[in-house]
Amino acid sequence: MKNFIIGTAGHIDHGKTELVKALTGTDTDRLKEEKERGISIELGFAELKLPNGTTAGVVDVPGHEHFVKNMLAGATGFDMVLLVVAADDGVMPQTVEHLAIVDLLGVSDGVVAITKADLVEEDMLELVREDVGEALRGTVLEGAEVVVTSSRTGEGLDELLQALSRAAERVRARDSEGPFRLPVDRVFTLRGIGTVVTGTLWEGSVADGEEAVVQPRGKPVRVRNVQVHGEEVERAYAGQRVAMNLPGISKEEIARGDVIVSPGHLRPTLMADASLHLLHSAPQPLRNRARVRFHHGTSEIMARVVLLGGREELPPGESHPVQLRLERPAVLRYGDRFIIRSYSPITTIGGGRILDSHPRKHRHHQMEVLEELEVRGRGDPAELLLLALEERGLPMSLAALVERLELKPGDVEGAVRELVAQGRLVEITGESGPLYLSPSLLSDLLDTMVRLVEELHAANPLKAGVEKEVLRQRLGERVVKGRNSQLPAEEFLALLRAAEKESRLETEGGKIRVKGKGRALGERERALLEDLNALIREGGFSPPLFKELGERLGLDRNRLRDLLNILLEEGRIEQVNPEYYLAAGKLAEAEEKVLAFLAERERLSVADLRDMLGASRKYAIPLLEYMDRKRITRREGDFRVSFKSGRR
């Protein structure tokens, strides 16, 4: 069954609350002050059963100009609107402002009710009809059904319900698949239950016991006792008025404007790119960097509007791409609608649609961003996907693309299939699944990897290749945008596999090199290798240590280490520790002598090994430590015993 919200709109004292009561039996004015003053101050809520069998949630909003902020907190959840105009008053300032708001919010449909018909003559009703028709011209409600009613006499109420039913059939159902999002419009406590929040469920569904997060503060909670219109339900769906208990969080830790979301769904932001329309009725042009009141969901946040493309002001009636710089975090999604009101005097001046909820910071005169935002404005998933890959400059998984694009997973999957079939997207193998990027981006990244390997290899020709971690770090510095140049390991390894598949790079022994290009040794290096090997071999168990080898051959530490590594790879020497090397076979010889000694005497001292090998203590001690590490011997006090002796 389709779930949707009908919201009221209209000037103060035009009978919105009285009409809702006549239709639903619920008085939505619940505050003592509202009763005393006879006006709506806060949002009111009711349930309406329509003749076609559907049930709608009704949000009744205040009509006073001082409470437009509260009206906006409800209006952002409307699926259709019931615009109320009093027959004895006609179209008034808040009628116009509320109509502009629902128009800017993209509310898809609605009905107009002319109320208080019992107070005027037929001639006056005709004038009001004309007045209403003029006000609706050019708005989403142009051509909407207009029903004359009286809440006191019941006139027109049945016709109004039928008109609402017809409009409801045209309303597009909200998406109840996937993660949920609920902007909070009320917070209160109930004895024995704790903190309760209410709101209109914008998307997804939620059930008792599910994990959630209170954004933008990021506090994890667990949902309890989900209710729709006072009735406990197994699961609530998008388009319903929902109340839920949030145990473990105090009333002071959550407020109107916060958003309850599924874990991992949507991140707070301090910036957004958007398409902004300034109303014809705006009192003056909007200047670049103007400070405004940004209304989204149930929140009001102060913000600066940066007019992109070098414009200094936006005249009334025009639209333009902007970057919104928020003074505190908001939880936004691609395609969300918003309203802006002037800082002072406070009045609604415009609104628009979010095009990027996590953009880069743009300069005022940056022109290329206008093309990007034009693509975002068109909303084609394939174009958005390619744009996201171009912006990141790295392969992305399907899950990462869904998160970045903020589209339905099915739409992103469809775009991926379409682009792969067209050859505009290629798939490479990642550890956790396929990664995607454009053919040109893949080519550029592989070219960069090959150049880096060549550069690093040329700088260190004695090395067999480049360490993976070194290449990952250098590649990150070249291709990762932003302050953090860390290239994720999964994406690096996927690119490395792609380079190997295309026979551009190869990996051996953990070292990466250009395919077919190994270590480059000149005559000087070959001669040094032989001299180094001879010094170690001729030294027996007492060869020159690392520092002495460098001094004898006139080599710096790095070059000496590279030459030693070559001898190690060729199997001509063995390493005891970073300072002590032996000719191949000497460690096995030492081990054989030690085990033979221990078979006869059971305990071995440093002096025993010194005498046995004809080497001083500075060699005997590291050899014994080596044998301890290899579990040939085991230390007991000042002696060594066989590692296996006395152990089961």
Side-chain angles (χ1 to χ4, degrees):
M1 183 178 293
K2 182 164 60 177
N3 301 296
F4 58 97
I5 300 296
I6 300 173
T8 66
H11 197 76
I12 184 174
D13 200 31
H14 277 206
K16 295 185 296 299
T17 302
E18 193 175 356
L19 182 60
V20 170
K21 184 177 180 181
L23 293 173
T24 68
T26 300
D27 184 355
T28 57
D29 281 348
R30 64 185 188 281
L31 303 178
K32 180 181 177 182
E33 186 181 358
E34 290 177 318
K35 303 290 189 185
E36 292 174 348
R37 295 176 61 180
I39 63 171
S40 297
I41 297 171
E42 266 292 356
L43 300 175
F45 310 102
E47 181 182 26
L48 176 62
K49 297 185 185 303
L50 293 171
N52 62 3
T54 59
T55 300
V58 177
V59 177
D60 184 31
V61 304
H64 197 287
E65 61 180 326
H66 291 168
F67 305 125
V68 173
K69 173 183 174 180
N70 295 341
M71 179 270 178
L72 283 163
T76 51
F78 291 1
D79 294 298
M80 55 181 283
V81 63
L82 174 57
L83 180 66
V84 176
V85 181
D88 61 342
D89 232 358
V91 174
M92 296 291 283
Q94 257 50 63
T95 313
V96 175
E97 185 172 13
H98 283 200
L99 184 55
I101 287 169
V102 297
D103 203 37
L104 289 168
L105 291 175
V107 178
S108 62
D109 215 319
V111 175
V112 181
I114 298 177
T115 57
K116 304 186 180 183
D118 56 306
L119 300 182
V120 299
E121 300 294 333
E122 185 62 35
D123 290 348
M124 182 63 179
L125 278 174
E126 284 305 312
L127 289 174
V128 172
R129 281 181 180 275
E130 292 176 11
D131 197 15
V132 167
E134 183 64 30
L136 299 183
R137 189 168 295 122
T139 74
V140 71
L141 289 184
E142 184 174 3
E145 289 190 65
V146 179
V147 182
V148 176
T149 68
S150 169
S151 299
R152 291 183 182 177
T153 67
E155 178 187 349
L157 296 185
D158 288 340
E159 291 87 343
L160 180 59
L161 287 170
Q162 292 293 343
L164 289 170
S165 290
R166 287 188 288 272
E169 289 172 0
R170 298 190 294 269
V171 169
R172 186 176 178 181
R174 295 196 186 217
D175 183 14
S176 291
E177 298 295 323
F180 80 88
R181 176 168 49 150
L182 184 140
V184 175
D185 54 38
R186 288 181 68 203
V187 184
F188 53 92
T189 56
L190 291 176
R191 183 176 297 177
I193 295 179
T195 302
V196 176
V197 300
T198 72
T200 298
L201 197 59
W202 276 19
E203 58 186 336
S205 66
V206 61
D208 179 48
E210 291 187 355
E211 302 289 337
V213 179
V214 180
Q215 295 287 22
R217 65 197 70 198
K219 184 173 179 61
V221 292
R222 186 181 291 275
V223 174
R224 295 291 188 200
N225 303 324
V226 178
Q227 295 188 356
V228 174
H229 296 298
E231 297 291 330
E232 196 161 320
V233 296
E234 290 186 8
R235 180 170 292 276
Y237 297 92
Q240 291 182 323
R241 287 290 309 167
V242 178
M244 60 176 71
N245 172 219
L246 301 178
I249 185 171
S250 68
K251 180 183 175 183
E252 290 68 35
E253 293 179 275
I254 189 168
R256 172 180 286 181
D258 288 345
V259 185
I260 316 295
V261 297
S262 299
H265 181 50
L266 304 181
R267 295 174 290 117
T269 182
L270 284 166
M271 283 195 301
D273 288 347
S275 173
L276 174 66
H277 176 72
L278 196 65
L279 292 172
H280 282 283
S281 58
Q284 59 189 15
L286 182 71
R287 295 194 58 78
N288 180 48
R289 299 191 60 80
R291 193 165 185 245
V292 300
R293 301 172 188 273
F294 172 78
H295 291 265
H296 171 268
T298 56
S299 67
E300 178 190 39
I301 300 172
M302 299 307 300
R304 296 278 180 186
V305 180
V306 177
L307 299 174
L308 299 175
R311 291 190 69 164
E312 293 301 328
E313 63 177 36
L314 180 64
E318 291 194 12
S319 301
H320 194 71
V322 300
Q323 183 161 81
L324 300 162
R325 310 251 175 97
L326 309 179
E327 296 183 12
R328 57 184 177 84
V331 182
L332 310 176
R333 183 175 180 175
Y334 174 78
D336 282 356
R337 298 279 184 160
F338 65 90
I339 298 293
I340 63 168
R341 308 189 80 213
S342 53
Y343 177 64
S344 181
I346 304 174
T347 185
T348 302
I349 58 173
R353 191 164 68 100
I354 301 297
L355 300 180
D356 190 347
S357 65
H358 290 83
R360 304 182 304 275
K361 190 172 185 177
H362 306 310
R363 295 187 300 275
H364 170 49
H365 292 282
Q366 198 172 344
M367 299 301 294
E368 60 270 23
V369 72
L370 297 181
E371 294 181 11
E372 294 179 12
L373 293 181
E374 185 178 348
V375 171
R376 292 189 178 280
R378 289 196 293 268
D380 177 73
E383 287 187 317
L384 292 172
L385 192 152
L386 292 173
L387 181 60
L389 287 168
E390 182 183 340
E391 286 178 346
R392 186 154 191 266
L394 289 169
M396 296 176 73
S397 67
L398 185 63
L401 285 165
V402 170
E403 180 182 357
R404 178 66 184 97
L405 299 180
E406 297 176 347
L407 299 174
K408 296 177 184 178
D411 291 342
V412 179
E413 290 171 10
V416 166
R417 287 194 299 270
E418 173 190 337
L419 291 169
V420 169
Q422 294 172 353
R424 299 167 67 193
L425 203 65
V426 293
E427 178 184 302
I428 61 176
T429 305
E431 293 292 325
S432 304
L435 301 175
Y436 300 96
L437 69 172
S438 66
S440 59
L441 179 57
L442 177 61
S443 177
D444 290 345
L445 287 169
L446 297 190
D447 286 347
T448 302
M449 289 179 75
V450 170
R451 283 196 302 272
L452 280 171
V453 170
E454 289 174 336
E455 291 169 9
L456 291 166
H457 207 169
N460 298 278
L462 299 184
K463 293 186 181 294
V466 178
E467 297 283 349
K468 286 184 180 180
E469 194 55 34
V470 172
L471 180 58
R472 181 165 82 100
Q473 180 182 343
R474 295 296 180 87
L475 185 61
E477 292 170 358
R478 291 279 182 95
V479 302
V480 177
K481 300 170 184 177
R483 294 181 181 179
N484 182 10
S485 61
Q486 187 70 27
L487 175 62
E490 180 174 9
E491 292 162 21
F492 168 72
L493 292 173
L495 290 169
L496 179 58
R497 277 191 289 269
E500 291 171 338
K501 186 177 180 180
E502 293 189 12
S503 297
R504 303 195 64 184
L505 295 176
E506 61 184 3
T507 304
E508 184 178 343
K511 304 289 194 303
I512 304 167
R513 60 185 178 229
V514 176
K515 181 76 171 178
K517 293 186 179 180
R519 183 183 284 118
L521 293 178
E523 290 185 12
R524 169 65 176 158
E525 283 74 23
R526 283 193 289 271
L528 285 170
L529 276 177
E530 296 307 318
D531 291 344
L532 184 60
N533 186 55
L535 284 172
I536 294 171
R537 185 182 66 251
E538 292 166 5
F541 286 104
S542 305
L545 297 178
F546 184 84
K547 184 178 179 181
E548 297 168 301
L549 289 169
E551 290 171 351
R552 290 204 191 183
L553 297 176
L555 298 172
D556 62 43
R557 294 179 61 85
N558 291 334
R559 197 172 185 203
L560 174 59
R561 190 73 70 191
D562 289 341
L563 291 169
L564 286 168
N565 286 337
I566 293 172
L567 292 176
L568 284 169
E569 290 173 13
E570 293 177 351
R572 297 164 72 183
I573 63 172
E574 299 168 331
Q575 185 176 21
V576 179
N577 64 30
E579 307 298 317
Y580 182 12
Y581 295 83
L582 291 172
K586 299 300 283 183
L587 283 174
E589 180 185 338
E591 178 183 343
E592 184 180 343
K593 290 183 177 182
V594 165
L595 290 176
F597 183 94
L598 290 174
E600 293 182 5
R601 303 196 188 181
E602 296 186 356
R603 298 198 310 173
L604 172 73
S605 68
V606 174
D608 291 332
L609 184 64
R610 179 195 63 195
D611 297 339
M612 190 190 313
L613 300 180
S616 67
R617 286 177 62 87
K618 78 173 182 178
Y619 294 103
I621 289 174
L623 274 169
L624 286 173
E625 290 172 346
Y626 171 86
M627 292 189 190
D628 291 343
R629 293 195 301 273
K630 296 297 182 181
R631 297 190 171 188
I632 298 164
T633 58
R634 177 166 48 84
R635 184 170 181 171
E636 287 187 355
D638 293 332
F639 295 92
R640 258 65 175 195
V641 299
S642 172
F643 184 81
K644 296 178 181 179
S645 66
R647 300 177 74 91
R648 293 180 182 178

PDB file of all heavy atoms in Angstrom, residues 2 4 6 50 52 54 56 80 109-111 162-173:
ATOM      1  N   LYS A   2       0.504   2.242  -0.812  1.00  0.00           N
ATOM      2  CA  LYS A   2       1.266   3.477  -0.886  1.00  0.00           C
ATOM      3  C   LYS A   2       1.075   4.299   0.388  1.00  0.00           C
ATOM      4  O   LYS A   2      -0.042   4.485   0.857  1.00  0.00           O
ATOM      5  CB  LYS A   2       0.817   4.268  -2.113  1.00  0.00           C
ATOM      6  CG  LYS A   2       1.574   5.561  -2.326  1.00  0.00           C
ATOM      7  CD  LYS A   2       1.377   6.103  -3.730  1.00  0.00           C
ATOM      8  CE  LYS A   2      -0.073   6.392  -4.052  1.00  0.00           C
ATOM      9  NZ  LYS A   2      -0.239   6.977  -5.395  1.00  0.00           N
ATOM     10  N   PHE A   4       1.809   8.018   2.219  1.00  0.00           N
ATOM     11  CA  PHE A   4       2.113   9.392   1.824  1.00  0.00           C
ATOM     12  C   PHE A   4       1.616  10.372   2.880  1.00  0.00           C
ATOM     13  O   PHE A   4       0.812  10.031   3.752  1.00  0.00           O
ATOM     14  CB  PHE A   4       1.488   9.716   0.457  1.00  0.00           C
ATOM     15  CG  PHE A   4       0.001   9.544   0.404  1.00  0.00           C
ATOM     16  CD1 PHE A   4      -0.842  10.638   0.572  1.00  0.00           C
ATOM     17  CD2 PHE A   4      -0.571   8.297   0.189  1.00  0.00           C
ATOM     18  CE1 PHE A   4      -2.219  10.494   0.520  1.00  0.00           C
ATOM     19  CE2 PHE A   4      -1.944   8.137   0.142  1.00  0.00           C
ATOM     20  CZ  PHE A   4      -2.776   9.232   0.311  1.00  0.00           C
ATOM     21  N   ILE A   6      -0.082  14.186   3.547  1.00  0.00           N
ATOM     22  CA  ILE A   6      -0.791  15.374   3.073  1.00  0.00           C
ATOM     23  C   ILE A   6      -0.469  16.491   4.048  1.00  0.00           C
ATOM     24  O   ILE A   6      -0.661  16.347   5.262  1.00  0.00           O
ATOM     25  CB  ILE A   6      -2.315  15.155   3.038  1.00  0.00           C
ATOM     26  CG1 ILE A   6      -2.677  13.999   2.103  1.00  0.00           C
ATOM     27  CG2 ILE A   6      -3.031  16.437   2.618  1.00  0.00           C
ATOM     28  CD1 ILE A   6      -4.147  13.618   2.152  1.00  0.00           C
ATOM     29  N   LEU A  50      -9.060   7.892   3.399  1.00  0.00           N
ATOM     30  CA  LEU A  50      -9.651   8.426   2.178  1.00  0.00           C
ATOM     31  C   LEU A  50     -10.650   7.442   1.582  1.00  0.00           C
ATOM     32  O   LEU A  50     -10.585   6.231   1.827  1.00  0.00           O
ATOM     33  CB  LEU A  50      -8.546   8.733   1.167  1.00  0.00           C
ATOM     34  CG  LEU A  50      -7.595   9.878   1.573  1.00  0.00           C
ATOM     35  CD1 LEU A  50      -6.413   9.951   0.624  1.00  0.00           C
ATOM     36  CD2 LEU A  50      -8.344  11.204   1.609  1.00  0.00           C
ATOM     37  N   ASN A  52     -10.865   6.074  -1.217  1.00  0.00           N
ATOM     38  CA  ASN A  52     -10.313   5.014  -2.067  1.00  0.00           C
ATOM     39  C   ASN A  52      -9.642   3.910  -1.254  1.00  0.00           C
ATOM     40  O   ASN A  52      -9.007   3.018  -1.815  1.00  0.00           O
ATOM     41  CB  ASN A  52      -9.330   5.592  -3.092  1.00  0.00           C
ATOM     42  CG  ASN A  52      -8.133   6.259  -2.433  1.00  0.00           C
ATOM     43  OD1 ASN A  52      -7.985   6.252  -1.208  1.00  0.00           O
ATOM     44  ND2 ASN A  52      -7.284   6.862  -3.252  1.00  0.00           N
ATOM     45  N   THR A  54      -7.138   4.221   0.951  1.00  0.00           N
ATOM     46  CA  THR A  54      -5.793   4.526   1.439  1.00  0.00           C
ATOM     47  C   THR A  54      -5.878   5.379   2.704  1.00  0.00           C
ATOM     48  O   THR A  54      -6.887   6.039   2.965  1.00  0.00           O
ATOM     49  CB  THR A  54      -4.972   5.281   0.381  1.00  0.00           C
ATOM     50  OG1 THR A  54      -5.644   6.505   0.047  1.00  0.00           O
ATOM     51  CG2 THR A  54      -4.799   4.439  -0.871  1.00  0.00           C
ATOM     52  N   ALA A  56      -3.710   8.315   4.823  1.00  0.00           N
ATOM     53  CA  ALA A  56      -2.629   9.295   4.718  1.00  0.00           C
ATOM     54  C   ALA A  56      -2.300   9.863   6.089  1.00  0.00           C
ATOM     55  O   ALA A  56      -3.161   9.969   6.961  1.00  0.00           O
ATOM     56  CB  ALA A  56      -3.028  10.425   3.772  1.00  0.00           C
ATOM     57  N   MET A  80       1.910  15.625  -0.895  1.00  0.00           N
ATOM     58  CA  MET A  80       0.910  16.454  -1.565  1.00  0.00           C
ATOM     59  C   MET A  80       0.435  17.501  -0.570  1.00  0.00           C
ATOM     60  O   MET A  80       0.644  17.369   0.637  1.00  0.00           O
ATOM     61  CB  MET A  80      -0.257  15.618  -2.094  1.00  0.00           C
ATOM     62  CG  MET A  80      -0.936  14.756  -1.062  1.00  0.00           C
ATOM     63  SD  MET A  80      -2.292  13.773  -1.748  1.00  0.00           S
ATOM     64  CE  MET A  80      -3.582  14.994  -1.901  1.00  0.00           C
ATOM     65  N   ASP A 109       1.711  17.285  -6.064  1.00  0.00           N
ATOM     66  CA  ASP A 109       0.292  17.430  -6.374  1.00  0.00           C
ATOM     67  C   ASP A 109      -0.424  18.006  -5.161  1.00  0.00           C
ATOM     68  O   ASP A 109       0.168  18.183  -4.092  1.00  0.00           O
ATOM     69  CB  ASP A 109      -0.318  16.073  -6.730  1.00  0.00           C
ATOM     70  CG  ASP A 109      -1.390  16.198  -7.804  1.00  0.00           C
ATOM     71  OD1 ASP A 109      -2.178  17.168  -7.724  1.00  0.00           O
ATOM     72  OD2 ASP A 109      -1.436  15.344  -8.703  1.00  0.00           O
ATOM     73  N   GLY A 110      -1.713  18.298  -5.343  1.00  0.00           N
ATOM     74  CA  GLY A 110      -2.488  18.800  -4.216  1.00  0.00           C
ATOM     75  C   GLY A 110      -3.882  19.236  -4.610  1.00  0.00           C
ATOM     76  O   GLY A 110      -4.299  19.121  -5.771  1.00  0.00           O
ATOM     77  N   VAL A 111      -4.577  19.732  -3.608  1.00  0.00           N
ATOM     78  CA  VAL A 111      -5.949  20.194  -3.755  1.00  0.00           C
ATOM     79  C   VAL A 111      -6.068  21.520  -3.018  1.00  0.00           C
ATOM     80  O   VAL A 111      -5.398  21.752  -1.999  1.00  0.00           O
ATOM     81  CB  VAL A 111      -6.942  19.167  -3.154  1.00  0.00           C
ATOM     82  CG1 VAL A 111      -8.368  19.694  -3.193  1.00  0.00           C
ATOM     83  CG2 VAL A 111      -6.838  17.833  -3.894  1.00  0.00           C
ATOM     84  N   GLN A 162     -12.991  13.220  -1.860  1.00  0.00           N
ATOM     85  CA  GLN A 162     -12.880  12.589  -3.178  1.00  0.00           C
ATOM     86  C   GLN A 162     -11.741  13.218  -3.981  1.00  0.00           C
ATOM     87  O   GLN A 162     -10.970  12.519  -4.662  1.00  0.00           O
ATOM     88  CB  GLN A 162     -14.205  12.714  -3.942  1.00  0.00           C
ATOM     89  CG  GLN A 162     -15.357  11.914  -3.359  1.00  0.00           C
ATOM     90  CD  GLN A 162     -15.166  10.409  -3.466  1.00  0.00           C
ATOM     91  OE1 GLN A 162     -14.332   9.940  -4.248  1.00  0.00           O
ATOM     92  NE2 GLN A 162     -15.916   9.655  -2.671  1.00  0.00           N
ATOM     93  N   ALA A 163     -11.646  14.556  -3.910  1.00  0.00           N
ATOM     94  CA  ALA A 163     -10.571  15.255  -4.634  1.00  0.00           C
ATOM     95  C   ALA A 163      -9.204  14.849  -4.090  1.00  0.00           C
ATOM     96  O   ALA A 163      -8.240  14.646  -4.854  1.00  0.00           O
ATOM     97  CB  ALA A 163     -10.763  16.766  -4.522  1.00  0.00           C
ATOM     98  N   LEU A 164      -9.098  14.721  -2.770  1.00  0.00           N
ATOM     99  CA  LEU A 164      -7.837  14.281  -2.164  1.00  0.00           C
ATOM    100  C   LEU A 164      -7.491  12.861  -2.591  1.00  0.00           C
ATOM    101  O   LEU A 164      -6.318  12.530  -2.834  1.00  0.00           O
ATOM    102  CB  LEU A 164      -7.923  14.371  -0.641  1.00  0.00           C
ATOM    103  CG  LEU A 164      -7.938  15.787  -0.048  1.00  0.00           C
ATOM    104  CD1 LEU A 164      -8.282  15.756   1.440  1.00  0.00           C
ATOM    105  CD2 LEU A 164      -6.576  16.471  -0.254  1.00  0.00           C
ATOM    106  N   SER A 165      -8.509  12.000  -2.711  1.00  0.00           N
ATOM    107  CA  SER A 165      -8.283  10.628  -3.168  1.00  0.00           C
ATOM    108  C   SER A 165      -7.726  10.612  -4.590  1.00  0.00           C
ATOM    109  O   SER A 165      -6.786   9.867  -4.904  1.00  0.00           O
ATOM    110  CB  SER A 165      -9.579   9.821  -3.125  1.00  0.00           C
ATOM    111  OG  SER A 165      -9.985   9.575  -1.799  1.00  0.00           O
ATOM    112  N   ARG A 166      -8.292  11.433  -5.445  1.00  0.00           N
ATOM    113  CA  ARG A 166      -7.822  11.471  -6.834  1.00  0.00           C
ATOM    114  C   ARG A 166      -6.384  11.983  -6.907  1.00  0.00           C
ATOM    115  O   ARG A 166      -5.564  11.454  -7.667  1.00  0.00           O
ATOM    116  CB  ARG A 166      -8.750  12.345  -7.683  1.00  0.00           C
ATOM    117  CG  ARG A 166     -10.103  11.694  -7.974  1.00  0.00           C
ATOM    118  CD  ARG A 166     -10.911  12.502  -8.960  1.00  0.00           C
ATOM    119  NE  ARG A 166     -11.436  13.733  -8.380  1.00  0.00           N
ATOM    120  CZ  ARG A 166     -12.595  13.840  -7.734  1.00  0.00           C
ATOM    121  NH1 ARG A 166     -13.364  12.767  -7.568  1.00  0.00           N
ATOM    122  NH2 ARG A 166     -13.014  15.006  -7.251  1.00  0.00           N
ATOM    123  N   ALA A 167      -6.082  13.010  -6.125  1.00  0.00           N
ATOM    124  CA  ALA A 167      -4.708  13.533  -6.116  1.00  0.00           C
ATOM    125  C   ALA A 167      -3.741  12.501  -5.546  1.00  0.00           C
ATOM    126  O   ALA A 167      -2.608  12.343  -6.034  1.00  0.00           O
ATOM    127  CB  ALA A 167      -4.640  14.825  -5.297  1.00  0.00           C
ATOM    128  N   ALA A 168      -4.193  11.771  -4.515  1.00  0.00           N
ATOM    129  CA  ALA A 168      -3.335  10.765  -3.878  1.00  0.00           C
ATOM    130  C   ALA A 168      -2.945   9.664  -4.859  1.00  0.00           C
ATOM    131  O   ALA A 168      -1.843   9.113  -4.786  1.00  0.00           O
ATOM    132  CB  ALA A 168      -4.037  10.169  -2.665  1.00  0.00           C
ATOM    133  N   GLU A 169      -3.843   9.339  -5.774  1.00  0.00           N
ATOM    134  CA  GLU A 169      -3.547   8.298  -6.754  1.00  0.00           C
ATOM    135  C   GLU A 169      -2.432   8.722  -7.705  1.00  0.00           C
ATOM    136  O   GLU A 169      -1.735   7.878  -8.272  1.00  0.00           O
ATOM    137  CB  GLU A 169      -4.809   7.939  -7.537  1.00  0.00           C
ATOM    138  CG  GLU A 169      -5.834   7.179  -6.686  1.00  0.00           C
ATOM    139  CD  GLU A 169      -7.161   7.001  -7.388  1.00  0.00           C
ATOM    140  OE1 GLU A 169      -7.273   7.475  -8.545  1.00  0.00           O
ATOM    141  OE2 GLU A 169      -8.077   6.410  -6.792  1.00  0.00           O
ATOM    142  N   ARG A 170      -2.268  10.023  -7.849  1.00  0.00           N
ATOM    143  CA  ARG A 170      -1.205  10.526  -8.734  1.00  0.00           C
ATOM    144  C   ARG A 170       0.135  10.670  -8.020  1.00  0.00           C
ATOM    145  O   ARG A 170       1.174  10.842  -8.672  1.00  0.00           O
ATOM    146  CB  ARG A 170      -1.615  11.882  -9.321  1.00  0.00           C
ATOM    147  CG  ARG A 170      -2.871  11.845 -10.175  1.00  0.00           C
ATOM    148  CD  ARG A 170      -3.070  13.159 -10.903  1.00  0.00           C
ATOM    149  NE  ARG A 170      -3.344  14.266 -10.000  1.00  0.00           N
ATOM    150  CZ  ARG A 170      -4.551  14.666  -9.618  1.00  0.00           C
ATOM    151  NH1 ARG A 170      -5.629  14.015 -10.062  1.00  0.00           N
ATOM    152  NH2 ARG A 170      -4.720  15.695  -8.805  1.00  0.00           N
ATOM    153  N   VAL A 171       0.112  10.641  -6.702  1.00  0.00           N
ATOM    154  CA  VAL A 171       1.344  10.831  -5.936  1.00  0.00           C
ATOM    155  C   VAL A 171       2.268   9.642  -6.130  1.00  0.00           C
ATOM    156  O   VAL A 171       1.842   8.492  -6.068  1.00  0.00           O
ATOM    157  CB  VAL A 171       1.031  11.025  -4.432  1.00  0.00           C
ATOM    158  CG1 VAL A 171       2.309  10.944  -3.601  1.00  0.00           C
ATOM    159  CG2 VAL A 171       0.344  12.355  -4.206  1.00  0.00           C
ATOM    160  N   ARG A 172       3.528   9.926  -6.341  1.00  0.00           N
ATOM    161  CA  ARG A 172       4.519   8.877  -6.531  1.00  0.00           C
ATOM    162  C   ARG A 172       4.888   8.269  -5.177  1.00  0.00           C
ATOM    163  O   ARG A 172       5.170   8.989  -4.222  1.00  0.00           O
ATOM    164  CB  ARG A 172       5.764   9.471  -7.192  1.00  0.00           C
ATOM    165  CG  ARG A 172       6.811   8.455  -7.565  1.00  0.00           C
ATOM    166  CD  ARG A 172       7.946   9.148  -8.303  1.00  0.00           C
ATOM    167  NE  ARG A 172       9.009   8.226  -8.642  1.00  0.00           N
ATOM    168  CZ  ARG A 172      10.120   8.587  -9.280  1.00  0.00           C
ATOM    169  NH1 ARG A 172      10.279   9.858  -9.654  1.00  0.00           N
ATOM    170  NH2 ARG A 172      11.060   7.705  -9.551  1.00  0.00           N
ATOM    171  N   ALA A 173       4.884   6.947  -5.115  1.00  0.00           N
ATOM    172  CA  ALA A 173       5.218   6.259  -3.863  1.00  0.00           C
ATOM    173  C   ALA A 173       6.683   6.485  -3.507  1.00  0.00           C
ATOM    174  O   ALA A 173       7.557   6.514  -4.376  1.00  0.00           O
ATOM    175  CB  ALA A 173       4.944   4.762  -3.991  1.00  0.00           C
TER     176      ALA A 173
END
